[in-house]
Amino acid sequence: MSSSQRNFKAKPYRCFECSKRFSRPNALTQHTDRVHVVPLALRRLQAEDNAKANQPPEVARGTPSSTNSPPAPALETSPSRSPIITPPRTPDNQHQRQSPGQRNRPSPRSPIFSPRRTAAQDQAFKPATRIEYHPLLDGSPCDAEGYDYHGLPPRVSGQDEEDSSAACYPFSTPTEFEFADFIYLKTEMSASNIDELSQLLAELYPDKEPTFADHRELYALIDSIPEGSIAWDSFSITYDGEKPTDTPIPPWVTQSFEVWFRDPLKVLENQIANPDFNGKIDYAPKRVFRNGKRQYGDLKSGNWAWRQADILGKNEDNHGAMFASVVLGSDKTTVSVATGQNDFYPLYASLGNVHNSVRRSHQNAVALVGFLAIPKTGQDYADDPKFRKFRRQLFHTSLKHILSSLEPYMETPRVTKCSDGHFRRVIYGIGPYIADYPEQALLACIVQGWCPKCTAPADNLDDAALHHKHVYRSHQHTDDVCTPFSLREVWDDWGIVGDIIPFTAYFPRADIHELISPDLLHQLIKGTFKDHLLDWIVQYINDNHSKADAKRILADIDRRIAVTPPFPGLRRFYEGRGFKQWTGDDSKGLMKVLLPAIAGHVPDKMVETVRIFLEFAYLVRRSVITEDDLRHLDTLIDLFHQSREIFRDVGVREDGFSLPRQHSMVHYRHLIQEFGAPNGLCSSITESKHIKAVKRPYRRSSRNKPLGQMLVTNQRTDKILAMRVKLRQRFQQRATRLPQIPASPSIPPPVPTDPGNEGVDSDAVDEPASMGEIKLAKRAVPRRARNVFDVAHETNQPQLPDRVRQYLYNFMTNGTSQSSQEIDLDVCPDISNLKIHTYPSARAVFFAPSDISGIEGMRAERIRAVEKWQGDRPRYDCVFIGNSDEPGFRGYLIARVFLFFDFKWQQKVHPCALVQWYSTFGDEPCPETGMWLVQPDFIRGGQPSLDVIHLDSIFRAAHLIGYSGKHFIPLQGFDYTQSLDYFKTFYVNKYADHHAHEIAS
C-alpha cells in the first residue's frame, strides 16, 4: 500500500432515523439528542400547551412597503475600481442617504452576540397561540373494536417486541436491506450491472454467502417484503352510446380503454398509520388564533374541514370520529420525445390531515393510486362531439370507480390504526383537487375560458361592477340551469358542459366546484407572471421602439439578469431570460430578479404592476396566512387591477384582461379561508411526484409496453420505503452495531480544489424549530498563515489587525462603544502573537417554513467568503445583521463579508467575520420596486468601512442587486462575480426567497 492511501474504517454506529453513520457511540448519542429527540420533545411540549404553530417570531415578520420613498439614486462605481458607469449623484439625492452613524452598529456584547440557540430563546420562539378543535369530530382514540375508552386510553409502546431477524424479514440484517435499498432505489442499478456486482462480490469474498446471486433473486427479496404491499388492479371502459350505422365506425368506438389503479382506501390507511407522520397529523378540524386573530395554515385549519365535521356531527354515532379527507391530483405528463407510449396520466392521493410541510417535502405523503386512460383518435375524428363527450365522461367514470372503495366509509366510521399507535374511527371524504386550468375545466365540466369557481362571463371575468352578481358554481346551480335550458344555451350563456356528470356527484358531501383548490404554479407563476406580464412587457418594448432599439433594450435586460450576484438557492441565468424551453423553476427564478432588470427600461407603472403582483404571489405562498394578510390581499388585488390598465393604455391588451388564470386571484381569499395556505395544495407537489412515480420508472423500463414495468417498479419502491419506516421505528435511538467490513486498500481522497464549495448552497434541514444558529465551515482554509498580520497580508485586508483589536476592546469593556471604529487603538490590546484560523464559509440555519425546509420549518444556507469559487472567481456574500426589534427591514443592517475566522482569547473561542457596512438610502423603499436601497460605506482615503463582528450577529444571507436606472450595462468586462464591486447603489432583494420577503419588506 502506498503512503498516500489510507485503510478503510467502517462507521459502525448508525442512526435509524436518518441513516447517518458515526464512528463513535457518543457521536451518535449527540446526533440523536440534537436532531431527533429534541424535535419530539418540543412537539410533545407544544401539544400539551396547545401552542404549536408554524409562524416565525414577530421580529421576522414583514410590513407592507410604503409608497412614499425618495427618488431612486444614480448609479456609481466603487472608488476602488475604474469607472464603468459614472453618472454623478444629484444634490437632491445626496442628503437622503443615511450616514453610518444614523443606524447603530451592533456591539459585541449586545444580545445578538449571545449564543442564538438557547432554551430561553426557543421557549420565547413559540408564538402565543390558541387552538380550538372541533367539539364533535375530535378524533378520540378507541380500542380495536371501535369502542370508546373509559378514562385515558392505554399507553402505546413505540417499540416492537419482535427480534432483529424477524423485523428485517426477508433480509437477515438491516445492512442487507440497506444494501438492496442502495442498489435498487438510490442508485437505480440496471439488471445487468446488478449481476456483475454480484459476481464481483462473490470473487472478492469467496468465503461469504452473497446476499443475492443475481438481479432476479434481489427482485424476489424485495417482492417478499410484506410492508407496503398494495396490489395493482385494472378495469376497462368502452363506449356504450349510439353507434353510427351509415359511416365507417371510428376506432375509438370499439376500442377498450384500460385503467390501472390501487385501492385508495388501503393507500390512505397506510398513510394514517405511518409512524413517520406521528405528531404531523391533525385528527380533528381546528381553528388557530394568535393574538385573537385567525390563522390559516394546514388544510384542517380551514373552514371547509370544520363545515364537513358539522355535517357529520349531526349523527350522534359519528361523535368522536376522525374526519379524513383525500386530496387528489392528476396531470398528464410526457416522459420522452421518442415514439411509442410516452405520455401518461397519473392520479395521486394524499391524506388531507397531514401537515402541509409533510406534503410539500414528499415524505411518502403523496401516493400514486392510478394511471388514467388517454383516449386518442385520428385527425378525422378529433373534433367529433361524441368523441369529446366520451373523453370527458371516461375521466369522471374512471375517478368514480377508483374511489368507490371509500364510499361505504364516507358516512359510517371505519376503525383504523393511526400513526401514534392508537385506533380511531375514521370517516372519509373527497377533499381538495390539485389541477392546472385545463384539468380544472375538465373536472368542473365547464367550457374552456370560463371560471370553474364562479359564473363570471368568459368575455368579462373581472368587471368590478358585475362582480357582486356572480355566484359560486355548484352541482345544485348546474341542475337549476340545465333543467329549463338546452345544452347549447347552457354552453353559450353559462359555460356549462351539461351532458357530463362529474364524479363528485356520486359521493356524499362532495361538490367539485367547491373542491377545486388554488394552484400557485400554473395560475400565478407560469400563468400570470410568465405568460402574461413578462410577455406583455416584451411586446411593449417591441411595439414602442424601433427594431434596433428594442433589441438593444432587451439585450440589456438580459445582461442585468445575467450579472445578478450569486445567492443560495438562486437560479443563475447566464444568458438572461432568452432560453427556448421554460420550466416552473425557470419562472420562479426569474420572478426573483426581474424587477431591477426592467426598472428604467419600461414605464414606472409597469414596474409597479409587476411589484404588486409579486407582493400578492409571495404573500399567498406563506405557510401561515393571517386575517391581516387576507385584508392585505384584497388591497393588492384592487391595486393590481388598477395598475395593469397601463398595458391597455399602451395598446398591449386592447382586448382586455378576461384571463381565467389571472382571474383566479380574486378567489384566493375565499380558498385560503376554506383550505388553508395554498402552498400545501400546489400542483408543483404533483409535478415533483412525476419524477419519482413516472419518469424514473419509465427510464428503468425497456420502453416496450412500459406501463406494466412501471407499475412493478412503483410497487417495489413502496415496499422499500415502508421497510425503511419499519426499521426506523424498530431501531430508533439504538446504537446498533453493524458488521465490520474487512480493511482493504482504498483510493486516496481527492484534493479539494475549491475549499468554499462545501456541499450545496441551501437545503432543507430536519432540525427543531428555533431561532436558528450560524456556524463556521467544518474545515479551515488549508495552507494559510496563522498570524493575524500575515493573514491580513495574504487576504489583502490591511484593516484586519486594527479591527480585531477594536473588537477585543469592545468585548472586554462589555460593548460600551457603539462603533468599534471610534475606539482609540492605543487603548486596545496587543495581538502581535494572535493566531487565527480562516474559513471559506459559514452555515446559517433559520426558520423559513414558506421555503423549501424540513418538517419543522428549518432551512440552511451557505454564506461564502472565498478568493476562488468555482474555479478562479471570488465570492464575498452579503448578510443581514440583527440590529433591533423593529419589524421588517428596519430591524436589520446590511453588510458584506470579506473573511470568516476564529481565534482564542482569554480561554474563549471567538468566531468572527470581517464585514463592510452598507447604509440605507432614504427612509422608505423604492415606490416602484418596493425594495430598499443601500450603498457601501467608505472611510477616509476611499477605504471600505470595515468592522469585525461576532458570528452570532449574522442572521442569514442577503441578496443585493445593482441599481442601473436608465443606464446600460457595458457589453464587455462586466462579470456577475464583480457586480458587488462595480455598482455603488443596490436593491436589497426581498424577492430572493419567501423568508427574505418577510424580513426585508
Side-chain angles (χ1 to χ4, degrees):
M1 184 187 300
S2 64
S3 59
S4 62
Q5 291 180 324
R6 299 180 299 174
N7 289 332
F8 173 76
K9 294 182 179 180
K11 296 181 178 180
Y13 298 95
R14 170 179 49 189
C15 173
F16 272 90
E17 189 72 22
C18 61
S19 298
K20 290 186 178 180
R21 287 178 166 84
F22 302 90
S23 302
R24 295 173 289 107
N26 60 338
L28 173 61
T29 302
Q30 294 174 2
H31 163 79
T32 303
D33 292 343
R34 178 174 176 269
V35 178
H36 302 303
V37 177
V38 173
L40 292 174
L42 282 178
R43 285 199 295 267
R44 188 178 300 112
L45 179 61
Q46 291 171 339
E48 291 174 356
D49 296 340
N50 283 335
K52 181 175 180 180
N54 293 326
Q55 185 166 330
E58 284 296 326
V59 69
R61 299 288 294 173
T63 55
S65 301
S66 171
T67 57
N68 299 320
S69 70
L75 177 70
E76 294 186 357
T77 58
S78 168
S80 60
R81 295 278 184 174
S82 58
I84 291 182
I85 306 173
T86 57
R89 184 185 302 156
T90 62
D92 292 338
N93 291 337
Q94 188 170 4
H95 77 278
Q96 296 178 13
R97 180 181 178 220
Q98 294 182 359
S99 64
Q102 285 182 271
R103 300 186 75 181
N104 294 333
R105 305 300 186 202
S107 65
R109 302 297 284 185
S110 63
I112 58 174
F113 279 83
S114 61
R116 296 168 43 171
R117 194 70 171 270
T118 64
Q121 286 176 320
D122 282 347
Q123 185 67 20
F125 174 81
K126 296 193 306 180
T129 60
R130 178 177 62 86
I131 302 179
E132 175 186 341
Y133 292 98
H134 197 277
L136 301 179
L137 269 73
D138 56 2
S140 300
C142 64
D143 60 23
E145 302 298 326
Y147 295 104
D148 292 335
Y149 291 116
H150 298 287
L152 294 176
R155 185 177 182 84
V156 179
S157 173
Q159 295 291 341
D160 234 332
E161 297 303 327
E162 59 184 344
D163 57 27
S164 300
S165 60
C168 299
Y169 177 83
F171 300 93
S172 301
T173 64
T175 306
E176 286 190 0
F177 165 72
E178 283 201 353
F179 187 46
D181 182 4
F182 176 79
I183 290 175
Y184 187 82
L185 198 56
K186 293 182 179 178
T187 63
E188 299 181 350
M189 191 175 293
S190 66
S192 59
N193 287 341
I194 293 174
D195 294 342
E196 184 177 353
L197 176 63
S198 302
Q199 184 65 29
L200 292 174
L201 290 175
E203 294 176 2
L204 283 173
Y205 307 104
D207 298 332
K208 182 176 176 58
E209 184 72 18
T211 303
F212 48 86
D214 53 19
H215 72 277
R216 294 183 181 86
E217 189 171 343
L218 171 64
Y219 294 165
L221 283 171
I222 297 174
D223 291 337
S224 300
I225 297 175
E227 290 76 23
S229 180
I230 303 178
W232 286 91
D233 199 355
S234 68
F235 59 88
S236 298
I237 299 179
T238 56
Y239 176 74
D240 62 354
E242 182 180 354
K243 298 180 181 179
T245 57
D246 55 346
T247 59
I249 297 178
W252 62 269
V253 173
T254 59
Q255 185 178 353
S256 176
F257 297 95
E258 195 171 34
V259 177
W260 285 89
F261 73 101
R262 292 191 292 182
D263 187 353
L265 176 63
K266 295 180 180 179
V267 171
L268 291 176
E269 287 184 338
N270 280 353
Q271 293 184 2
I272 293 174
N274 191 334
D276 279 356
F277 299 162
N278 188 20
K280 309 178 187 75
I281 289 182
D282 291 318
Y283 295 112
K286 61 184 180 182
R287 290 171 175 167
V288 183
F289 300 87
R290 186 179 185 212
N291 299 328
K293 295 182 179 179
R294 182 85 177 268
Q295 290 184 335
Y296 301 91
D298 302 316
L299 175 60
K300 289 302 177 183
S301 68
N303 295 331
W304 173 81
W306 193 280
R307 192 165 58 250
Q308 292 283 306
D310 285 342
I311 298 173
L312 291 169
K314 294 178 181 178
N315 185 350
E316 293 184 0
D317 294 338
N318 295 334
H319 290 185
M322 165 188 169
F323 173 61
S325 54
V326 51
V327 176
L328 298 170
S330 59
D331 183 28
K332 295 187 185 73
T333 182
T334 302
V335 295
S336 172
V337 295
T339 58
Q341 184 181 4
N342 60 1
D343 54 345
F344 298 92
Y345 205 161
L347 174 69
Y348 302 106
S350 174
L351 180 67
N353 303 64
V354 298
H355 295 170
N356 287 350
S357 59
V358 180
R359 192 176 299 112
R360 291 200 314 270
S361 60
H362 303 288
Q363 300 286 330
N364 302 331
V366 180
L368 177 69
V369 295
F371 280 98
L372 304 177
I374 306 178
K376 297 181 179 179
T377 188
Q379 293 295 326
D380 296 339
Y381 305 102
D383 295 329
D384 186 351
K386 292 183 178 179
F387 174 72
R388 294 201 302 267
K389 176 183 176 181
F390 171 72
R391 186 174 54 191
R392 293 189 183 102
Q393 195 62 65
L394 171 65
F395 173 79
H396 287 276
T397 302
S398 300
L399 290 179
K400 171 196 171 185
H401 187 85
I402 291 174
L403 299 172
S404 60
S405 63
L406 294 172
E407 185 178 5
Y409 309 106
M410 289 186 175
E411 293 181 311
T412 303
R414 175 182 172 91
V415 178
T416 305
K417 188 176 181 179
C418 298
S419 61
D420 59 358
H422 292 294
F423 288 91
R424 286 176 175 84
R425 295 178 298 129
V426 179
I427 301 179
Y428 294 93
I430 305 297
Y433 204 111
I434 302 173
D436 58 10
Y437 177 72
E439 194 90 350
Q440 290 179 354
L442 176 62
L443 284 162
C445 301
I446 63 164
V447 181
Q448 289 275 352
W450 290 72
C451 174
K453 300 293 294 184
C454 72
T455 59
D459 58 349
N460 197 8
L461 287 173
D462 287 332
D463 190 337
L466 299 176
H467 185 67
H468 67 281
K469 297 182 180 180
H470 304 156
V471 298
Y472 278 100
R473 295 184 185 271
S474 65
H475 288 170
Q476 184 62 48
H477 175 268
T478 300
D479 294 340
D480 293 342
V481 170
C482 291
T483 299
F485 298 105
S486 65
L487 292 178
R488 172 55 61 183
E489 288 174 322
V490 298
W491 178 291
D492 294 337
D493 298 337
W494 302 93
I496 297 174
V497 183
D499 54 352
I500 302 296
I501 303 175
F503 77 97
T504 50
Y506 300 97
F507 298 99
R509 307 182 313 281
D511 190 321
I512 188 58
H513 305 287
E514 179 186 40
L515 296 177
I516 289 178
S517 65
D519 182 15
L520 298 174
L521 178 62
H522 290 93
Q523 291 173 344
L524 299 186
I525 299 171
K526 286 186 175 182
T528 305
F529 173 73
K530 187 264 175 184
D531 292 340
H532 300 163
L533 296 178
L534 184 60
D535 288 352
W536 296 349
I537 290 173
V538 174
Q539 182 181 343
Y540 163 79
I541 294 174
N542 287 324
D543 292 348
N544 290 270
H545 298 83
S546 66
K547 185 175 181 180
D549 288 343
K551 185 177 180 180
R552 180 168 174 257
I553 292 173
L554 292 174
D556 187 66
I557 291 176
D558 285 341
R559 281 196 296 275
R560 292 184 181 185
I561 296 173
V563 301
T564 299
F567 185 74
L570 182 66
R571 196 176 186 85
R572 171 139 298 285
F573 300 96
Y574 292 96
E575 301 298 332
R577 27 120 238 133
F579 42 88
K580 297 180 180 179
Q581 186 172 358
W582 282 77
T583 66
D585 289 336
D586 295 328
S587 299
K588 293 175 186 177
L590 193 59
M591 286 175 64
K592 301 177 180 181
V593 298
L594 181 68
L595 277 181
I598 64 174
H601 283 317
V602 299
D604 291 344
K605 197 67 174 179
M606 287 188 185
V607 180
E608 183 181 350
T609 302
V610 178
R611 189 261 301 174
I612 293 171
F613 166 76
L614 291 180
E615 289 291 329
F616 179 92
Y618 274 68
L619 188 58
V620 297
R621 178 59 177 76
R622 292 183 179 179
S623 290
V624 175
I625 300 176
T626 66
E627 290 182 353
D628 293 338
D629 294 332
L630 293 178
R631 285 190 288 270
H632 189 40
L633 286 181
D634 294 336
T635 303
L636 290 173
I637 291 176
D638 292 340
L639 291 174
F640 178 71
H641 286 169
Q642 297 170 17
S643 63
R644 71 179 178 179
E645 290 295 327
I646 181 64
F647 292 102
R648 196 200 302 262
D649 296 339
V650 298
V652 173
R653 292 297 302 178
E654 294 180 352
D655 54 347
F657 303 97
S658 287
L659 304 166
R661 289 180 292 178
Q662 199 170 124
H663 164 73
S664 66
M665 295 171 61
V666 304
H667 296 302
Y668 267 68
R669 188 188 209 277
H670 171 71
L671 291 174
I672 290 169
Q673 292 174 317
E674 290 289 288
F675 303 129
N679 65 5
L681 298 171
C682 179
S683 60
S684 60
I685 298 174
T686 54
E687 289 206 354
S688 297
K689 188 67 176 178
H690 287 342
I691 299 174
K692 295 181 180 180
V694 182
K695 296 185 178 181
R696 287 182 180 174
Y698 175 82
R699 289 195 293 264
R700 299 182 68 170
S701 72
S702 65
R703 273 66 163 182
N704 180 26
K705 297 181 179 179
L707 182 56
Q709 303 168 58
M710 294 164 61
L711 299 179
V712 173
T713 300
N714 274 283
Q715 186 158 350
R716 288 172 179 163
T717 299
D718 289 342
K719 286 176 173 288
I720 291 175
L721 295 177
M723 187 76 167
R724 281 187 198 172
V725 174
K726 177 184 177 181
L727 291 181
R728 273 202 300 270
Q729 294 300 313
R730 176 65 178 83
F731 298 105
Q732 65 179 351
Q733 301 180 13
R734 292 187 181 183
T736 303
R737 188 84 178 178
L738 299 182
Q740 293 286 352
I741 302 177
S744 60
S746 61
I747 59 174
V751 177
T753 57
D754 180 10
N757 191 15
E758 184 176 298
V760 295
D761 274 354
S762 60
D763 197 10
V765 291
D766 285 328
E767 295 192 7
S770 67
M771 298 288 290
E773 63 181 358
I774 183 168
K775 291 183 177 180
L776 295 173
K778 295 180 180 179
R779 296 180 296 274
V781 177
R783 298 180 295 277
R784 173 167 283 175
R786 294 285 309 282
N787 182 273
V788 63
F789 293 95
D790 295 336
V791 171
H793 177 73
E794 286 189 8
T795 59
N796 195 26
Q797 296 293 345
Q799 299 184 46
L800 176 63
D802 291 344
R803 299 296 174 252
V804 171
R805 295 177 63 191
Q806 292 167 331
Y807 165 85
L808 288 175
Y809 176 84
N810 230 342
F811 173 78
M812 292 186 298
T813 58
N814 295 321
T816 55
S817 174
Q818 285 294 329
S819 176
S820 61
Q821 297 177 8
E822 301 172 358
I823 302 173
D824 188 353
L825 290 174
D826 293 337
V827 300
C828 296
D830 177 46
I831 59 169
S832 56
N833 296 321
L834 184 67
K835 305 295 184 182
I836 69 174
H837 291 90
T838 58
Y839 296 86
S841 63
R843 181 175 182 266
V845 179
F846 50 94
F847 185 77
S850 299
D851 294 294
I852 298 176
S853 56
I855 296 297
E856 299 292 335
M858 300 302 290
R859 177 175 176 83
E861 66 183 7
R862 184 73 56 178
I863 305 170
R864 302 187 184 276
V866 289
E867 298 174 356
K868 295 182 179 180
W869 174 70
Q870 291 187 347
D872 296 329
R873 299 171 176 175
R875 177 169 172 178
Y876 300 100
D877 290 341
C878 297
V879 293
F880 287 103
I881 294 178
N883 184 49
S884 70
D885 290 338
E886 291 188 64
F889 180 72
R890 300 178 191 276
Y892 294 93
L893 298 170
I894 298 295
R896 188 182 183 190
V897 181
F898 284 103
L899 190 67
F900 286 114
F901 62 97
D902 67 3
F903 59 89
K904 197 170 187 178
W905 182 266
Q906 294 181 352
Q907 305 304 314
K908 179 179 176 62
V909 176
H910 294 255
C912 295
L914 179 69
V915 302
Q916 179 183 13
W917 295 111
Y918 283 66
S919 290
T920 305
F921 190 95
D923 297 326
E924 300 290 342
C926 171
E928 287 78 29
T929 64
M931 293 185 279
W932 289 85
L933 292 157
V934 295
Q935 294 177 326
D937 293 342
F938 294 91
I939 56 177
R940 57 189 178 279
Q943 295 298 313
S945 176
L946 301 180
D947 252 335
V948 169
I949 62 173
H950 195 281
L951 193 67
D952 283 337
S953 65
I954 297 176
F955 182 38
R956 60 157 301 184
H959 191 221
L960 304 187
I961 300 180
Y963 169 81
S964 301
K966 297 182 180 296
H967 305 280
F968 284 73
I969 300 292
L971 296 177
Q972 302 293 333
F974 202 101
D975 187 73
Y976 73 94
T977 59
Q978 301 169 322
S979 288
L980 294 174
D981 299 313
Y982 282 121
F983 286 94
K984 181 62 177 180
T985 304
F986 300 87
Y987 293 105
V988 180
N989 184 15
K990 68 176 182 179
Y991 303 110
D993 54 47
H994 297 89
H995 182 258
H997 181 259
E998 295 184 21
I999 68 173
S1001 293

